[in-house]
Amino acid sequence: MNAPRALMCPRIISRVGQGNLTSSFGIESLIKKTPTLLSAFEGEFGGKPCSVENTVIELSDHLHMIPSNLSLANFDTRLMYESAVNLNTLFSELLEPIEKDYDTIFIDCPP
């Protein structure tokens, strides 16, 4: 039997977008060097196609993370003005390609 695997998505939507959970694991998530869920939402990072699979960082065999950085600071405000975005299903649609790979997906967000 395989041990459970978990994916953590820190501060996916946050006005602050500090990436505290990301940095607490020692990951330096630089805006121009690290793809985030925003990169997957936009479909590109650094001029190349980007999907959610490209954003996952393996912390251990059983714990992976989609990092956060200040590029997400205004993501929630932007989403409010994108008429084609369904906020009720956004995360399930973004994470759908990888959800079968994980037993649990934690989404860290502000209180």
XYZ file of all heavy atoms in Angstrom:
858
model
N 0.834 -1.171 0.000
C 0.000 0.000 0.000
C 0.889 1.247 0.000
O 1.837 1.344 0.753
C -0.904 -0.006 1.229
C -1.745 1.248 1.338
S -2.646 1.355 2.885
C -4.221 0.815 2.329
N 0.573 2.197 -0.853
C 1.326 3.441 -0.917
C 0.900 4.370 0.209
O -0.263 4.436 0.576
C 1.091 4.141 -2.251
C 1.689 3.379 -3.413
O 2.628 2.616 -3.239
N 1.135 3.573 -4.583
N 1.866 5.096 0.740
C 1.559 6.092 1.773
C 0.793 7.245 1.140
O 0.975 7.548 -0.035
C 2.849 6.597 2.405
N -0.087 7.888 1.886
C -0.842 9.026 1.355
C 0.088 10.140 0.899
O 1.161 10.339 1.455
C -1.686 9.486 2.549
C -1.716 8.342 3.484
C -0.445 7.592 3.265
N -0.358 10.853 -0.112
C 0.394 11.995 -0.611
C -0.460 13.237 -0.462
O -1.657 13.210 -0.687
C 0.756 11.790 -2.072
C 1.764 10.689 -2.268
C 2.035 10.444 -3.704
N 2.353 11.680 -4.390
C 2.878 11.740 -5.592
N 3.147 10.636 -6.235
N 3.132 12.879 -6.160
N 0.166 14.339 -0.105
C -0.564 15.584 0.092
C 0.060 16.695 -0.742
O 1.265 16.733 -0.951
C -0.561 15.988 1.561
N -0.778 17.578 -1.218
C -0.356 18.764 -1.952
C -0.796 19.971 -1.154
O -1.938 20.047 -0.713
C -1.000 18.801 -3.338
C -0.769 20.075 -4.151
C 0.679 20.141 -4.621
C -1.707 20.117 -5.340
N 0.106 20.909 -0.945
C -0.240 22.143 -0.242
C -0.174 23.295 -1.228
O 0.781 23.423 -1.981
C 0.727 22.380 0.908
C 0.607 21.309 1.949
S 1.771 21.374 3.324
C 2.498 22.944 3.295
N -1.208 24.107 -1.237
C -1.272 25.275 -2.108
C -1.327 26.509 -1.223
O -2.406 26.932 -0.817
C -2.506 25.223 -2.991
S -2.636 23.748 -4.000
N -0.182 27.065 -0.875
C -0.195 28.179 0.064
C -0.653 29.489 -0.538
O -0.236 29.863 -1.611
C 1.262 28.279 0.512
C 2.034 27.688 -0.604
C 1.147 26.660 -1.246
N -1.521 30.158 0.193
C -1.980 31.505 -0.131
C -2.263 31.695 -1.607
O -1.754 32.602 -2.250
C -0.977 32.534 0.361
C -0.855 32.488 1.849
C -0.489 33.820 2.404
N -0.485 33.733 3.854
C -1.504 34.080 4.617
N -2.593 34.558 4.104
N -1.423 33.960 5.914
N -3.083 30.819 -2.122
C -3.421 30.903 -3.534
C -4.088 32.238 -3.843
O -3.740 32.913 -4.783
C -4.331 29.734 -3.930
C -3.507 28.460 -3.903
C -4.912 29.945 -5.297
C -4.285 27.240 -4.131
N -5.058 32.611 -3.045
C -5.681 33.909 -3.229
C -5.478 34.693 -1.953
O -5.961 34.319 -0.907
C -7.182 33.797 -3.522
C -7.387 33.130 -4.874
C -7.830 35.168 -3.534
C -8.811 33.068 -5.299
N -4.748 35.757 -2.062
C -4.492 36.571 -0.884
C -4.150 37.977 -1.328
O -3.334 38.170 -2.214
C -3.317 35.988 -0.101
O -2.898 36.881 0.886
N -4.778 38.937 -0.719
C -4.418 40.319 -1.044
C -2.976 40.586 -0.627
O -2.288 41.363 -1.251
C -5.351 41.294 -0.337
C -6.711 41.325 -0.930
C -7.509 42.468 -0.345
N -8.873 42.394 -0.798
C -9.299 42.895 -1.941
N -8.463 43.497 -2.743
N -10.560 42.797 -2.279
N -2.541 39.931 0.423
C -1.176 40.123 0.884
C -0.213 39.329 0.005
O 0.810 39.831 -0.415
C -1.042 39.706 2.366
C 0.379 39.868 2.840
C -1.995 40.530 3.213
N -0.549 38.087 -0.286
C 0.264 37.260 -1.178
C 1.702 37.094 -0.730
O 2.602 37.021 -1.548
N 1.934 37.029 0.563
C 3.295 36.993 1.077
C 4.016 35.679 0.832
O 5.227 35.648 0.767
C 3.282 37.275 2.582
C 2.776 38.644 2.903
C 2.510 38.806 4.384
O 2.248 37.840 5.091
N 2.557 40.032 4.851
N 3.289 34.603 0.739
C 3.940 33.316 0.550
C 4.613 32.809 1.804
O 5.656 32.168 1.740
N 4.032 33.082 2.972
C 4.653 32.675 4.231
C 4.828 31.166 4.332
O 5.857 30.696 4.819
C 3.849 33.189 5.427
C 3.974 34.680 5.594
O 4.962 35.273 5.212
N 2.952 35.296 6.151
N 3.834 30.400 3.918
C 3.964 28.948 3.992
C 5.076 28.472 3.066
O 5.862 27.593 3.419
C 2.639 28.269 3.660
C 2.609 26.763 3.849
C 2.911 26.373 5.294
C 1.251 26.209 3.447
N 5.154 29.051 1.896
C 6.222 28.700 0.962
C 7.588 28.944 1.588
O 8.452 28.065 1.586
C 6.080 29.521 -0.342
O 4.831 29.204 -0.950
C 7.203 29.219 -1.311
N 7.786 30.123 2.143
C 9.099 30.440 2.730
C 9.365 29.626 3.993
O 10.518 29.355 4.320
C 9.223 31.935 3.006
O 8.245 32.363 3.916
N 8.314 29.208 4.700
C 8.533 28.403 5.905
C 9.131 27.039 5.574
O 9.723 26.397 6.436
C 7.236 28.239 6.703
O 6.357 27.353 6.062
N 8.994 26.599 4.328
C 9.616 25.350 3.896
C 10.964 25.597 3.240
O 11.544 24.711 2.628
C 8.691 24.591 2.945
C 7.627 23.811 3.652
C 6.375 24.358 3.865
C 7.877 22.534 4.117
C 5.385 23.652 4.533
C 6.901 21.820 4.782
C 5.656 22.375 4.992
N 11.458 26.825 3.342
C 12.779 27.141 2.817
C 12.806 27.343 1.318
O 13.871 27.301 0.707
N 11.657 27.585 0.717
C 11.591 27.786 -0.726
C 11.601 29.282 -1.003
O 10.768 30.026 -0.495
C 10.320 27.156 -1.318
C 10.345 25.646 -1.089
C 10.202 27.481 -2.802
C 9.038 24.982 -1.394
N 12.558 29.717 -1.794
C 12.612 31.110 -2.194
C 11.835 31.229 -3.497
O 12.315 30.859 -4.568
C 14.058 31.568 -2.385
C 14.165 33.028 -2.706
C 15.610 33.477 -2.864
O 16.511 32.637 -2.814
O 15.802 34.669 -3.058
N 10.610 31.684 -3.398
C 9.723 31.763 -4.549
C 9.811 33.153 -5.164
O 9.137 34.080 -4.742
C 8.282 31.451 -4.112
O 7.438 31.454 -5.231
N 10.657 33.288 -6.140
C 10.875 34.574 -6.789
C 9.884 34.773 -7.928
O 9.590 33.844 -8.680
C 12.304 34.659 -7.319
C 13.395 34.460 -6.259
C 14.764 34.394 -6.911
C 13.339 35.569 -5.226
N 9.380 35.983 -8.055
C 8.323 36.270 -9.020
C 8.699 35.855 -10.434
O 7.919 35.240 -11.132
C 7.928 37.760 -8.967
C 7.210 38.044 -7.654
C 7.063 38.145 -10.146
C 6.855 39.491 -7.420
N 9.878 36.154 -10.882
C 10.256 35.858 -12.263
C 10.885 34.480 -12.443
O 11.158 34.069 -13.552
C 11.211 36.925 -12.774
C 10.627 38.326 -12.702
C 10.760 39.011 -14.013
C 10.316 40.442 -13.927
N 9.032 40.724 -14.406
N 11.111 33.751 -11.316
C 11.804 32.473 -11.422
C 10.982 31.273 -10.988
O 11.397 30.145 -11.223
C 13.102 32.517 -10.613
C 14.095 33.509 -11.166
C 15.421 33.400 -10.487
C 16.371 34.385 -11.118
N 17.740 34.188 -10.731
N 9.848 31.501 -10.325
C 9.072 30.387 -9.787
C 7.629 30.461 -10.265
O 6.920 31.411 -9.938
C 9.088 30.427 -8.241
O 10.438 30.527 -7.792
C 8.453 29.179 -7.665
N 7.169 29.460 -11.028
C 5.760 29.477 -11.441
C 4.839 29.185 -10.255
O 5.190 28.425 -9.353
C 5.681 28.378 -12.494
C 6.820 27.471 -12.208
C 7.888 28.323 -11.563
N 3.686 29.822 -10.241
C 2.687 29.644 -9.199
C 1.380 29.219 -9.862
O 1.324 29.042 -11.082
C 2.453 30.955 -8.427
O 1.893 31.918 -9.332
C 3.743 31.490 -7.832
N 0.332 29.123 -9.069
C -0.971 28.795 -9.641
C -1.433 29.892 -10.604
O -2.153 29.618 -11.555
C -1.995 28.578 -8.529
C -3.168 27.677 -8.909
C -2.715 26.329 -9.394
C -4.116 27.529 -7.756
N -0.989 31.118 -10.392
C -1.295 32.201 -11.324
C -0.716 31.894 -12.695
O -1.362 32.132 -13.718
C -0.749 33.534 -10.800
C -0.929 34.748 -11.710
C -2.407 35.016 -11.983
C -0.267 35.974 -11.104
N 0.475 31.328 -12.731
C 1.097 30.940 -14.000
C 0.229 29.916 -14.724
O 0.029 29.995 -15.936
C 2.487 30.357 -13.757
O 3.266 31.192 -12.946
N -0.291 28.948 -13.969
C -1.163 27.931 -14.561
C -2.458 28.568 -15.042
O -2.975 28.227 -16.111
C -1.451 26.828 -13.554
N -3.000 29.500 -14.279
C -4.226 30.204 -14.662
C -4.011 30.976 -15.961
O -4.846 30.960 -16.857
C -4.649 31.149 -13.535
C -5.808 32.031 -13.871
C -7.104 31.519 -13.907
C -5.616 33.383 -14.146
C -8.178 32.332 -14.214
C -6.693 34.196 -14.454
C -7.976 33.671 -14.491
N -2.868 31.649 -16.080
C -2.559 32.430 -17.276
C -2.107 31.547 -18.434
O -2.137 31.963 -19.583
C -1.480 33.459 -16.965
C -1.959 34.537 -16.000
C -0.875 35.510 -15.600
O 0.331 35.134 -15.647
O -1.221 36.637 -15.224
N -1.661 30.333 -18.117
C -1.242 29.398 -19.159
C 0.169 29.616 -19.675
O 0.567 29.003 -20.653
N 0.914 30.484 -19.013
C 2.299 30.700 -19.438
C 3.148 31.225 -18.280
O 2.656 31.818 -17.342
C 2.382 31.653 -20.632
C 2.094 33.101 -20.334
C 3.340 33.930 -20.053
O 4.450 33.542 -20.433
O 3.199 34.965 -19.402
N 4.441 30.938 -18.390
C 5.410 31.439 -17.414
C 6.730 31.634 -18.141
O 7.228 30.713 -18.787
C 5.589 30.471 -16.244
C 6.582 30.959 -15.234
C 6.244 31.977 -14.359
C 7.861 30.436 -15.186
C 7.159 32.461 -13.432
C 8.782 30.904 -14.266
C 8.423 31.922 -13.390
N 7.267 32.818 -18.065
C 8.537 33.103 -18.726
C 8.482 32.928 -20.227
O 9.465 32.519 -20.842
N 7.319 33.211 -20.808
C 7.171 33.099 -22.253
C 6.955 31.685 -22.762
O 6.909 31.456 -23.965
N 6.810 30.715 -21.841
C 6.593 29.319 -22.235
C 5.254 28.847 -21.682
O 4.803 29.328 -20.645
C 7.715 28.435 -21.699
C 9.068 28.766 -22.269
C 10.131 27.862 -21.696
C 11.491 28.247 -22.255
N 12.562 27.469 -21.668
N 4.625 27.870 -22.336
C 3.364 27.337 -21.805
C 3.557 26.793 -20.388
O 4.599 26.226 -20.064
C 3.006 26.205 -22.773
C 3.760 26.514 -24.026
C 5.020 27.226 -23.584
N 2.552 26.988 -19.542
C 2.631 26.522 -18.162
C 1.281 25.942 -17.753
O 0.245 26.562 -17.972
C 3.000 27.678 -17.239
S 3.210 27.186 -15.512
N 1.318 24.772 -17.166
C 0.112 24.150 -16.628
C 0.343 23.906 -15.140
O 1.453 24.088 -14.629
C -0.182 22.827 -17.342
O 0.856 21.908 -17.096
N -0.673 23.478 -14.442
C -0.540 23.259 -13.002
C 0.545 22.226 -12.693
O 1.232 22.324 -11.685
C -1.898 22.889 -12.360
C -2.341 21.489 -12.755
C -1.853 23.039 -10.853
N 0.730 21.275 -13.572
C 1.776 20.271 -13.367
C 3.162 20.911 -13.273
O 4.042 20.407 -12.589
C 1.768 19.231 -14.497
C 0.529 18.366 -14.535
C -0.550 18.894 -15.481
O -0.654 20.129 -15.677
O -1.297 18.068 -16.011
N 3.360 22.040 -13.972
C 4.646 22.732 -13.980
C 4.907 23.532 -12.710
O 6.004 24.046 -12.515
C 4.740 23.693 -15.164
C 4.506 23.025 -16.486
O 3.572 23.390 -17.194
N 5.319 22.055 -16.837
N 3.906 23.666 -11.843
C 4.049 24.513 -10.660
C 4.375 23.729 -9.391
O 4.752 24.318 -8.394
C 2.759 25.319 -10.411
O 1.692 24.432 -10.072
C 2.377 26.149 -11.630
N 4.239 22.423 -9.424
C 4.385 21.594 -8.222
C 5.854 21.376 -7.874
O 6.662 21.010 -8.719
C 3.681 20.233 -8.399
C 3.885 19.343 -7.187
C 2.193 20.439 -8.671
N 6.185 21.626 -6.610
C 7.525 21.382 -6.070
C 7.428 20.216 -5.094
O 6.560 20.191 -4.237
C 8.056 22.627 -5.332
C 8.280 23.768 -6.316
C 9.340 22.306 -4.576
C 8.666 25.069 -5.649
N 8.319 19.248 -5.217
C 8.333 18.095 -4.314
C 9.163 18.431 -3.080
O 10.364 18.638 -3.162
C 8.914 16.878 -5.036
C 8.841 15.622 -4.216
C 9.289 14.394 -4.978
O 8.892 14.246 -6.150
O 10.029 13.592 -4.392
N 8.500 18.495 -1.925
C 9.189 18.744 -0.657
C 9.721 17.446 -0.068
O 10.758 17.418 0.584
C 8.249 19.417 0.339
C 7.675 20.766 -0.110
C 6.630 21.256 0.877
C 8.780 21.786 -0.277
N 8.973 16.365 -0.256
C 9.379 15.016 0.140
C 8.572 14.066 -0.746
O 7.774 14.504 -1.558
C 9.087 14.761 1.625
O 7.698 14.624 1.841
N 8.766 12.767 -0.553
C 8.027 11.802 -1.366
C 6.520 11.963 -1.224
O 5.771 11.678 -2.151
C 8.403 10.368 -0.987
C 9.811 9.998 -1.427
O 10.374 10.712 -2.287
O 10.347 9.013 -0.908
N 6.082 12.417 -0.062
C 4.653 12.451 0.222
C 4.101 13.844 0.483
O 2.965 13.990 0.918
C 4.340 11.541 1.414
C 4.809 10.142 1.170
N 4.210 9.304 0.262
C 5.861 9.455 1.676
C 4.857 8.155 0.227
N 5.854 8.215 1.083
N 4.891 14.869 0.229
C 4.427 16.231 0.438
C 4.942 17.122 -0.684
O 6.149 17.264 -0.873
C 4.902 16.772 1.796
C 4.413 18.179 2.162
C 2.887 18.228 2.255
C 5.039 18.614 3.471
N 4.012 17.666 -1.429
C 4.339 18.550 -2.538
C 3.677 19.900 -2.298
O 2.745 20.011 -1.510
C 3.833 17.959 -3.856
C 4.449 16.641 -4.187
N 4.028 15.886 -5.247
C 5.446 15.938 -3.612
C 4.744 14.775 -5.319
N 5.614 14.783 -4.321
N 4.155 20.925 -3.006
C 3.623 22.269 -2.805
C 3.565 23.016 -4.133
O 4.426 22.843 -4.989
C 4.526 23.044 -1.842
C 4.118 24.501 -1.652
S 5.259 25.415 -0.595
C 4.800 24.748 0.995
N 2.546 23.834 -4.266
C 2.513 24.836 -5.322
C 2.894 26.135 -4.626
O 2.158 26.612 -3.769
C 1.126 24.941 -5.974
C 0.773 23.635 -6.678
C 1.103 26.118 -6.958
C -0.622 23.602 -7.259
N 4.059 26.690 -4.930
C 4.541 27.848 -4.179
C 3.740 29.112 -4.461
O 3.014 29.208 -5.441
C 5.982 27.995 -4.660
C 5.979 27.433 -6.026
C 4.981 26.310 -5.995
N 3.920 30.058 -3.583
C 3.284 31.360 -3.707
C 4.360 32.430 -3.657
O 5.443 32.208 -3.132
C 2.307 31.552 -2.549
O 1.717 32.829 -2.610
N 4.055 33.577 -4.231
C 4.931 34.743 -4.122
C 4.092 35.998 -4.329
O 2.865 35.920 -4.455
C 6.125 34.651 -5.087
C 5.704 34.556 -6.540
O 4.713 35.152 -6.963
N 6.451 33.802 -7.321
N 4.727 37.131 -4.371
C 3.993 38.394 -4.456
C 3.229 38.574 -5.768
O 2.402 39.468 -5.879
C 4.945 39.568 -4.232
C 5.446 39.699 -2.797
C 6.474 40.812 -2.700
C 4.304 39.944 -1.839
N 3.467 37.713 -6.760
C 2.708 37.823 -8.007
C 1.224 37.557 -7.770
O 0.383 37.941 -8.582
C 3.248 36.853 -9.063
O 2.968 35.509 -8.707
N 0.892 36.922 -6.651
C -0.508 36.620 -6.343
C -1.193 37.718 -5.533
O -2.355 37.597 -5.175
C -0.581 35.306 -5.553
C -0.178 34.073 -6.363
C 0.067 32.899 -5.450
C -1.253 33.742 -7.361
N -0.495 38.800 -5.268
C -1.016 39.842 -4.385
C -2.359 40.398 -4.843
O -3.218 40.683 -4.021
C 0.007 40.968 -4.242
N -2.570 40.546 -6.124
C -3.819 41.106 -6.626
C -4.641 40.102 -7.432
O -5.534 40.486 -8.177
C -3.532 42.346 -7.472
C -2.960 43.458 -6.642
O -3.418 43.712 -5.533
N -1.936 44.110 -7.157
N -4.321 38.830 -7.270
C -5.004 37.791 -8.037
C -6.508 37.799 -7.771
O -7.307 37.716 -8.691
C -4.389 36.434 -7.718
C -4.851 35.295 -8.588
C -5.159 35.469 -9.916
C -4.947 34.020 -8.067
C -5.561 34.415 -10.717
C -5.350 32.959 -8.844
C -5.656 33.154 -10.181
N -6.911 37.926 -6.522
C -8.339 37.904 -6.203
C -9.063 39.098 -6.815
O -10.164 38.960 -7.346
C -8.575 37.818 -4.697
C -7.951 38.939 -3.904
O -7.032 39.603 -4.428
O -8.353 39.139 -2.750
N -8.453 40.263 -6.783
C -9.073 41.447 -7.388
C -9.200 41.260 -8.890
O -10.236 41.565 -9.483
C -8.232 42.705 -7.089
O -8.072 42.819 -5.678
C -8.879 43.949 -7.643
N -8.177 40.748 -9.503
C -8.206 40.491 -10.948
C -9.325 39.520 -11.321
O -10.031 39.719 -12.289
C -6.860 39.937 -11.380
C -6.798 39.593 -12.823
C -5.427 39.114 -13.195
N -5.497 38.448 -14.467
C -4.535 37.735 -14.961
N -3.405 37.610 -14.306
N -4.655 37.148 -16.117
N -9.484 38.474 -10.508
C -10.510 37.478 -10.795
C -11.923 38.057 -10.743
O -12.798 37.634 -11.473
C -10.400 36.301 -9.824
C -9.184 35.412 -10.008
C -9.126 34.373 -8.910
C -9.192 34.762 -11.378
N -12.123 39.026 -9.868
C -13.450 39.632 -9.758
C -13.864 40.324 -11.051
O -15.038 40.442 -11.351
C -13.490 40.639 -8.601
C -13.440 39.970 -7.253
S -13.729 41.065 -5.843
C -12.753 42.485 -6.182
N -12.885 40.771 -11.835
C -13.174 41.504 -13.065
C -13.084 40.655 -14.321
O -13.352 41.145 -15.403
C -12.252 42.725 -13.162
C -12.508 43.701 -12.046
C -11.639 43.793 -10.973
C -13.658 44.478 -12.036
C -11.887 44.671 -9.928
C -13.914 45.353 -10.996
C -13.022 45.437 -9.950
O -13.287 46.301 -8.915
N -12.693 39.411 -14.172
C -12.626 38.506 -15.315
C -13.985 37.831 -15.440
O -14.305 36.894 -14.717
C -11.536 37.450 -15.120
C -10.162 38.026 -14.942
C -9.261 37.810 -16.132
O -9.629 37.035 -17.030
O -8.197 38.424 -16.144
N -14.786 38.294 -16.365
C -16.164 37.809 -16.473
C -16.247 36.326 -16.845
O -17.223 35.664 -16.522
C -16.942 38.647 -17.482
O -16.327 38.574 -18.753
N -15.229 35.813 -17.506
C -15.271 34.415 -17.935
C -14.886 33.447 -16.818
O -14.998 32.241 -16.978
C -14.341 34.216 -19.128
N -14.448 33.956 -15.679
C -13.986 33.110 -14.584
C -15.142 32.810 -13.634
O -15.804 33.701 -13.136
C -12.840 33.797 -13.808
C -12.455 32.986 -12.591
C -11.648 34.014 -14.712
N -15.366 31.529 -13.385
C -16.359 31.108 -12.405
C -15.626 30.867 -11.094
O -14.920 29.873 -10.936
C -17.073 29.840 -12.867
C -18.141 29.389 -11.897
O -18.144 29.761 -10.727
N -19.050 28.572 -12.386
N -15.764 31.786 -10.159
C -15.028 31.685 -8.892
C -15.419 30.466 -8.085
O -14.637 29.985 -7.266
C -15.241 32.951 -8.062
C -14.677 34.231 -8.680
C -15.028 35.433 -7.814
C -13.181 34.128 -8.878
N -16.623 29.938 -8.297
C -17.077 28.763 -7.557
C -16.352 27.487 -7.987
O -16.282 26.532 -7.224
C -18.580 28.577 -7.710
C -19.358 29.717 -7.096
O -19.019 30.199 -6.023
N -20.396 30.168 -7.784
N -15.850 27.473 -9.205
C -15.206 26.261 -9.709
C -13.742 26.471 -10.111
O -13.093 25.531 -10.560
C -15.971 25.708 -10.929
O -15.980 26.705 -11.966
C -17.389 25.325 -10.560
N -13.233 27.671 -9.933
C -11.883 28.000 -10.403
C -10.831 27.020 -9.897
O -10.064 26.464 -10.668
C -11.500 29.424 -9.978
C -10.055 29.816 -10.282
C -9.833 29.903 -11.778
C -9.702 31.114 -9.605
N -10.788 26.783 -8.592
C -9.732 25.936 -8.049
C -9.904 24.479 -8.437
O -8.929 23.792 -8.739
C -9.631 26.102 -6.533
C -9.195 27.480 -6.169
C -10.059 28.351 -5.555
C -7.935 27.922 -6.490
C -9.665 29.636 -5.247
C -7.526 29.208 -6.194
C -8.402 30.064 -5.565
N -11.131 23.999 -8.456
C -11.312 22.603 -8.865
C -10.907 22.432 -10.329
O -10.324 21.416 -10.695
C -12.741 22.137 -8.622
O -13.658 22.903 -9.362
N -11.161 23.435 -11.154
C -10.759 23.346 -12.560
C -9.243 23.448 -12.712
O -8.645 22.703 -13.484
C -11.436 24.455 -13.367
C -12.929 24.240 -13.517
C -13.646 25.430 -14.131
O -12.976 26.392 -14.575
O -14.887 25.413 -14.157
N -8.602 24.357 -11.965
C -7.149 24.496 -12.058
C -6.421 23.255 -11.541
O -5.412 22.846 -12.090
C -6.679 25.723 -11.268
C -6.806 27.073 -11.955
C -6.462 28.189 -10.990
C -5.926 27.147 -13.187
N -6.932 22.674 -10.455
C -6.259 21.539 -9.832
C -6.679 20.184 -10.404
O -6.046 19.170 -10.116
C -6.493 21.566 -8.322
C -5.914 22.777 -7.592
C -6.369 22.795 -6.141
C -4.404 22.802 -7.693
N -7.720 20.162 -11.228
C -8.251 18.900 -11.765
C -7.192 18.024 -12.431
O -7.165 16.811 -12.211
C -9.409 19.199 -12.729
C -10.173 17.971 -13.174
C -9.559 17.332 -14.411
O -8.970 18.040 -15.243
O -9.639 16.101 -14.517
N -6.270 18.573 -13.224
C -5.289 17.694 -13.874
C -4.383 16.926 -12.908
O -3.817 15.903 -13.285
C -4.452 18.670 -14.721
C -5.320 19.844 -14.929
C -6.145 19.968 -13.679
N -4.231 17.396 -11.670
C -3.326 16.715 -10.729
C -4.038 16.129 -9.523
O -3.416 15.460 -8.715
C -2.202 17.654 -10.250
C -2.770 18.867 -9.526
C -1.294 18.045 -11.398
C -1.730 19.717 -8.832
N -5.347 16.357 -9.387
C -6.034 15.911 -8.172
C -5.968 14.404 -7.980
O -5.906 13.934 -6.850
C -7.474 16.415 -8.118
C -8.407 15.764 -9.112
C -9.824 16.292 -8.982
O -10.396 16.197 -7.886
O -10.336 16.780 -9.978
N -5.922 13.633 -9.032
C -5.847 12.169 -8.909
C -4.511 11.706 -8.337
O -4.387 10.597 -7.846
C -6.102 11.513 -10.264
C -5.013 11.792 -11.269
C -5.350 11.271 -12.648
C -4.321 11.634 -13.683
N -3.818 12.985 -13.691
N -3.511 12.583 -8.367
C -2.183 12.246 -7.854
C -2.063 12.395 -6.341
O -1.037 12.022 -5.769
C -1.124 13.149 -8.502
C -1.060 12.970 -10.008
O -1.392 11.872 -10.504
O -0.701 13.949 -10.695
N -3.094 12.963 -5.696
C -3.011 13.283 -4.269
C -4.215 12.752 -3.509
O -5.329 12.735 -4.017
C -2.895 14.799 -4.070
C -1.653 15.341 -4.724
C -1.710 15.908 -5.988
C -0.425 15.231 -4.091
C -0.559 16.364 -6.606
C 0.728 15.687 -4.710
C 0.659 16.249 -5.964
O 1.793 16.684 -6.574
N -3.957 12.318 -2.288
C -5.025 11.894 -1.394
C -5.693 13.098 -0.752
O -6.882 13.065 -0.455
C -4.474 10.970 -0.301
C -3.870 9.715 -0.906
O -4.597 9.013 -1.620
O -2.676 9.468 -0.682
N -4.911 14.148 -0.521
C -5.410 15.350 0.137
C -4.771 16.566 -0.499
O -3.577 16.558 -0.801
C -5.045 15.342 1.648
O -5.538 14.143 2.228
C -5.644 16.530 2.363
N -5.563 17.621 -0.686
C -5.036 18.899 -1.157
C -5.442 19.949 -0.131
O -6.624 20.156 0.120
C -5.554 19.268 -2.559
C -5.079 18.237 -3.570
C -5.115 20.681 -2.947
C -5.586 18.463 -4.994
N -4.438 20.585 0.472
C -4.668 21.653 1.450
C -4.500 22.978 0.750
O -3.518 23.170 0.034
C -3.634 21.579 2.581
C -3.696 20.333 3.396
C -2.832 19.286 3.139
C -4.612 20.202 4.437
C -2.866 18.121 3.869
C -4.654 19.049 5.187
C -3.786 18.002 4.907
N -5.432 23.884 0.972
C -5.311 25.226 0.418
C -5.214 26.196 1.587
O -6.154 26.356 2.349
C -6.501 25.571 -0.500
C -6.569 24.593 -1.658
C -6.362 27.021 -1.002
C -7.734 24.789 -2.594
N -4.059 26.807 1.717
C -3.820 27.779 2.786
C -4.303 29.135 2.298
O -3.956 29.562 1.205
C -2.322 27.832 3.106
C -2.006 28.899 4.138
O -2.805 29.070 5.084
O -0.944 29.527 4.011
N -5.115 29.775 3.091
C -5.605 31.099 2.714
C -5.737 31.938 3.959
O -5.748 31.425 5.079
C -6.911 31.003 1.958
S -8.207 30.153 2.843
N -5.856 33.242 3.787
C -5.958 34.118 4.959
C -7.229 33.853 5.754
O -8.218 33.371 5.194
C -5.991 35.524 4.375
C -5.823 35.389 2.913
C -5.900 33.964 2.552
N -7.195 34.166 7.039
C -8.390 33.939 7.870
C -9.540 34.849 7.460
O -9.411 35.806 6.808
C -7.925 34.275 9.266
C -6.625 34.972 9.136
C -6.096 34.704 7.766
